[in-house]
Amino acid sequence: MNNKLFEKYFVFSPYFWLVLFFFIPLAIIFKISISVSEWGMPPYQDIFLFDNGLKINTTFENYVYIFSDYYYIRSFVNSLILALISTLFCLIIGFPLAFYISTSNIRLRNILLVLVVIPFWSSFLLRVYAWKIILQNNGILNLILLNLGITSEPLQLLYNQYAVIMGIVYTYLPLMILPLYGYLNKFDLNLIDVSKDLGLNRFKTFFKVILPLSVPGIVAGSLLVFIPVVGEFIIPEMLGGSDRLYYGKILWEEFFVNRNWPGASALAFTGIIILVLPIVIFQMLYSRWSQRNEI
Amino acid sequence: MKSSIIKITVIFLGLFFLYFPILVLIFYSFNENKRVMVWKGFSIRWYAELFKNEQIIEAFIISMKIAALSATLATILGVMIGYSLVRIRKIPFKSFYIFLSSTPLVLPELILGLSMLLFFISLNNIIGFPSSRGQLTIFISHVTFCIAFVAIIIQARLTDFNKNIEEAAMDLGYNYTKVLYKITLPIILPSIIAGWLLAFTISLDDLVVASFTTGPGANTLPIVVFSKVRLGLSPEVNALSAILMFALIIIGLFYFYFNKKFKH
């Protein structure tokens, strides 16, 4: 095989797969989201009609329907708030862990890092299920609280928004720690000593030296937690109650229960625009920028 | 001295938080009682029941099959992407290429699952294939979102890679293809294995995308488990959890062993 042919083969095999099975499906979501819904199977009309020539049959009604209904907006806002709170907790717990791991000596560092990430390898679904056991009315946490005399009767810990946050922080924590560690690991620890020598106290060292240098790690980790949590379906379904509806649940029900395909597609496409597009643009700008600086 | 106490406390609490739920799950899997939360004594009864449960065994086999096949194809395609992005200068519409190969990493699974399902339905309306959804459609969907994870590992590895070795081999008369198969791929093989293991685990663990793209006769393990524990607890699932967690943690350790990038 000559070089040209070989390169083409390497570039275009995955290109073809991803266009066919990733890009076209996203385009279909968009197409269905602007289709007119109707009773039938499939429950929407074609966007091109051929009677007396080509007629384009599209509508933005599905988007209007979503954005004018408090129910949908409310659950989307709920999801954004949930994601924000969970990301903050992951950061608060993850930052000190990542920091102390990166300041350990090299042997211990590798062991600790593996220990932190290993739970992430065990099944996601089962780790959420574990919290269901812990938070039961006669579960281990209530047992401890009762024995310590903190409460006289079992608390309802499960099936509310706090259980959801708990489950999310637990399952997503490694996704926050890894990028944080990646950046903290890169910077020169002597900087901390230098700043102390220069008379900065602990707090000032943290806020003026450590924190600014770890901003890229914080951004990366926060995005890795925030975005999937907005679309999270399993955790609210397993640990949450009916006190709050979230975007994932609404999308699921709109499709499977209400059988409103155009509505569900409009919800999904809105999700893509709000969540994914900003990152994609950022990433493209960043890669172009880093390429230019290399040359 | 004071700071080292804080450090040990933080690390200890962090690890306790991460491992406590897993230990609780394993502990309860040895409970004799059918009512999961009421302790009745140590027993391996539910492990025995688990191996008699045909539904779970069948789902396990289906999941393993899909995971092994989709990880393999995703690894081949992911290596191609990683290689192309680092080594090949001329990629038409490169930004689009990057978009396609990295967006599945961040796209919520729910949106991905919905798009795949609507795609398969539309495709069936146009060309009559796939006439029903099942293992094949889950396989295709899993390949699609696992590619990105493999690609990112390979890309990171090749960026570190010393190009001189490849160039030396070229100077010695190896052609492009030979350099790839005799030099580049063998050297990055550990990363390729790491990528495969990651893709395998992700596929094995996926519930959301599989729920959308499944059909008759294709209930994967997470789908069966979810249907059992959605509304309550199940002693058999406890036993299954303990086994699966153990197996997956072993796979995870292999991943770290192979992924050299991690050791720096």
Side-chain angles (χ1 to χ4, degrees):
Chain A
M1 226 189 304
N2 69 34
N3 296 354
K4 271 268 160 59
L5 200 70
F6 170 83
E7 285 192 351
K8 283 215 169 83
Y9 172 71
F10 253 61
V11 172
F12 285 104
S13 314
Y15 220 153
F16 175 75
W17 181 282
L18 287 171
V19 167
L20 182 60
F21 294 121
F22 182 64
F23 187 70
I24 292 180
L26 290 185
I28 286 175
I29 281 205
F30 180 66
K31 182 201 134 194
I32 296 178
S33 78
I34 55 166
S35 302
V36 180
S37 51
E38 67 170 6
W39 290 106
M41 189 67 203
Y44 59 89
Q45 295 172 5
D46 249 323
I47 56 170
F48 301 113
L49 296 176
F50 298 96
D51 48 21
N52 295 330
L54 180 71
K55 222 176 89 189
I56 293 169
N57 180 29
T58 60
T59 174
F60 280 100
E61 232 169 77
N62 304 306
Y63 288 94
V64 174
Y65 169 68
I66 289 167
F67 283 108
S68 59
D69 197 332
Y70 186 65
Y71 175 75
Y72 296 104
I73 298 172
R74 180 81 227 170
S75 35
F76 208 87
V77 171
N78 278 346
S79 278
L80 291 174
I81 294 171
L82 174 75
L84 196 68
I85 295 172
S86 313
T87 309
L88 273 175
F89 273 112
C90 281
L91 193 60
I92 292 167
I93 301 172
F95 194 90
L97 263 173
F99 179 74
Y100 285 127
I101 292 173
S102 66
T103 54
S104 301
N105 67 51
I106 193 140
R107 266 188 70 88
L108 188 65
R109 198 193 301 171
N110 284 330
I111 295 169
L112 286 174
L113 200 58
V114 171
L115 278 176
V116 163
V117 185
I118 277 295
F120 193 68
W121 276 78
S122 66
S123 165
F124 174 82
L125 182 60
L126 296 176
R127 280 183 301 148
V128 179
Y129 174 66
W131 279 98
K132 210 167 175 165
I133 292 183
I134 294 171
L135 299 177
Q136 287 284 323
N137 277 348
N138 50 357
I140 198 146
L141 205 60
N142 262 319
L143 225 62
I144 294 169
L145 291 176
L146 283 170
N147 281 329
L148 288 177
I150 295 172
T151 164
S152 55
E153 52 190 280
L155 300 172
Q156 174 64 41
L157 300 169
L158 207 51
Y159 307 124
N160 55 46
Q161 45 169 323
Y162 307 107
V164 175
I165 293 172
M166 189 74 235
I168 289 173
V169 172
Y170 177 67
T171 43
Y172 283 86
L173 187 59
L175 280 178
M176 177 64 90
I177 293 177
L178 269 188
L180 274 179
Y181 169 82
Y183 281 92
L184 285 170
N185 196 25
K186 266 185 215 154
F187 84 66
D188 191 353
L189 286 173
N190 291 328
L191 280 174
I192 298 172
D193 292 333
V194 170
S195 92
K196 278 182 186 160
D197 289 346
L198 289 172
L200 268 71
N201 64 22
R202 232 171 240 273
F203 285 100
K204 277 200 172 150
T205 304
F206 179 76
F207 285 107
K208 301 243 166 181
V209 181
I210 302 170
L211 201 61
L213 282 170
S214 41
V215 165
I218 293 175
V219 172
S222 300
L223 288 176
L224 280 180
V225 175
F226 187 87
I227 296 169
V229 168
V230 174
E232 184 57 56
F233 170 72
I234 301 169
I235 298 175
E237 196 66 12
M238 296 255 293
L239 305 176
S242 47
D243 57 339
R244 250 157 213 238
L245 280 168
Y246 298 105
Y247 169 70
K249 173 91 173 167
I250 298 289
L251 178 55
W252 180 280
E253 291 205 326
E254 196 65 30
F255 187 80
F256 284 112
V257 181
N258 299 349
R259 304 241 158 229
N260 179 4
W261 293 13
S265 301
L267 271 172
F269 200 74
T270 310
I272 296 173
I273 298 294
I274 293 178
L275 293 175
V276 182
L277 211 61
I279 296 171
V280 171
I281 292 167
F282 168 78
Q283 209 176 27
M284 280 177 184
L285 290 176
Y286 180 79
S287 78
R288 195 165 290 171
W289 174 81
S290 59
Q291 261 173 3
R292 197 173 295 156
N293 282 24
E294 210 177 57
I295 302 160
Chain B
M1 196 58 221
K2 203 176 120 197
S3 66
S4 78
I5 292 173
I6 298 175
K7 179 175 171 174
I8 290 167
T9 316
V10 165
I11 290 177
F12 177 78
L13 284 178
L15 290 179
F16 177 77
F17 176 61
L18 287 168
Y19 284 91
F20 176 67
I22 297 176
L23 296 176
V24 168
L25 199 56
I26 294 172
F27 175 76
Y28 275 106
S29 72
F30 292 109
N31 185 4
E32 159 84 53
N33 204 333
K34 192 172 172 62
R35 288 174 60 210
V36 174
M37 295 314 298
V38 185
W39 185 259
K40 206 173 140 190
F42 182 89
S43 143
I44 53 163
R45 172 184 166 197
W46 297 108
Y47 287 87
E49 298 271 332
L50 179 68
F51 287 105
K52 278 185 256 164
N53 187 324
E54 275 175 26
Q55 190 195 13
I56 287 180
I57 300 292
E58 194 193 344
F60 176 75
I61 292 168
I62 291 173
S63 275
M64 289 295 277
K65 196 168 83 182
I66 292 174
L69 290 174
S70 53
T72 306
L73 187 54
T75 304
I76 294 170
L77 294 171
V79 168
M80 286 176 168
I81 290 179
Y83 186 86
S84 304
L85 285 175
V86 181
R87 287 283 187 272
I88 298 174
R89 288 216 160 255
K90 267 200 194 152
I91 299 177
F93 306 104
K94 191 168 180 182
S95 310
F96 184 56
Y97 198 63
I98 295 170
F99 164 82
L100 288 178
S101 60
S102 61
T103 317
L105 286 172
V106 288
L107 196 69
E109 289 169 309
L110 207 64
I111 295 175
L112 196 74
L114 179 69
S115 72
M116 292 308 285
L117 173 57
L118 292 173
F119 168 74
F120 289 130
I121 292 171
S122 305
L123 195 65
N124 183 29
N125 287 342
I126 298 165
I127 62 166
F129 173 86
S131 56
S132 77
R133 289 175 299 283
Q135 297 183 22
L136 179 69
T137 48
I138 299 177
F139 162 76
I140 292 172
S141 317
H142 281 185
V143 171
T144 304
F145 77 89
C146 286
I147 291 175
F149 291 89
V150 180
I152 211 163
I153 291 175
I154 299 300
Q155 201 185 341
R157 178 70 185 94
L158 281 173
T159 314
D160 279 1
F161 190 88
N162 191 347
K163 238 179 159 176
N164 294 339
I165 306 170
E166 286 175 338
E167 275 158 12
M170 289 257 212
D171 290 344
L172 291 171
Y174 273 26
N175 65 19
Y176 222 80
T177 330
K178 215 168 176 187
V179 169
L180 182 80
Y181 289 112
K182 297 261 175 183
I183 312 282
T184 315
L185 287 183
I187 292 177
I188 65 164
L189 185 65
S191 300
I192 296 176
I193 296 172
W196 189 91
L197 290 171
L198 184 62
F200 179 80
T201 314
I202 291 170
S203 165
L204 198 64
D205 198 29
D206 166 67
L207 167 66
V208 174
V209 175
S211 301
F212 274 101
T213 50
T214 189
N219 283 330
T220 62
L221 196 59
I223 293 176
V224 171
V225 168
F226 186 59
S227 71
K228 280 188 184 296
V229 298
R230 194 174 193 168
L231 297 171
L233 306 172
S234 147
E236 281 164 326
V237 170
N238 288 359
L240 177 72
S241 309
I243 295 173
L244 263 187
M245 292 230 172
F246 191 70
L248 287 170
I249 283 172
I250 302 278
I251 296 180
L253 288 175
F254 273 109
Y255 169 82
F256 289 116
Y257 175 75
F258 285 119
N259 197 356
K260 290 286 191 297
K261 179 92 183 118
F262 224 71
K263 286 189 180 154
H264 295 310

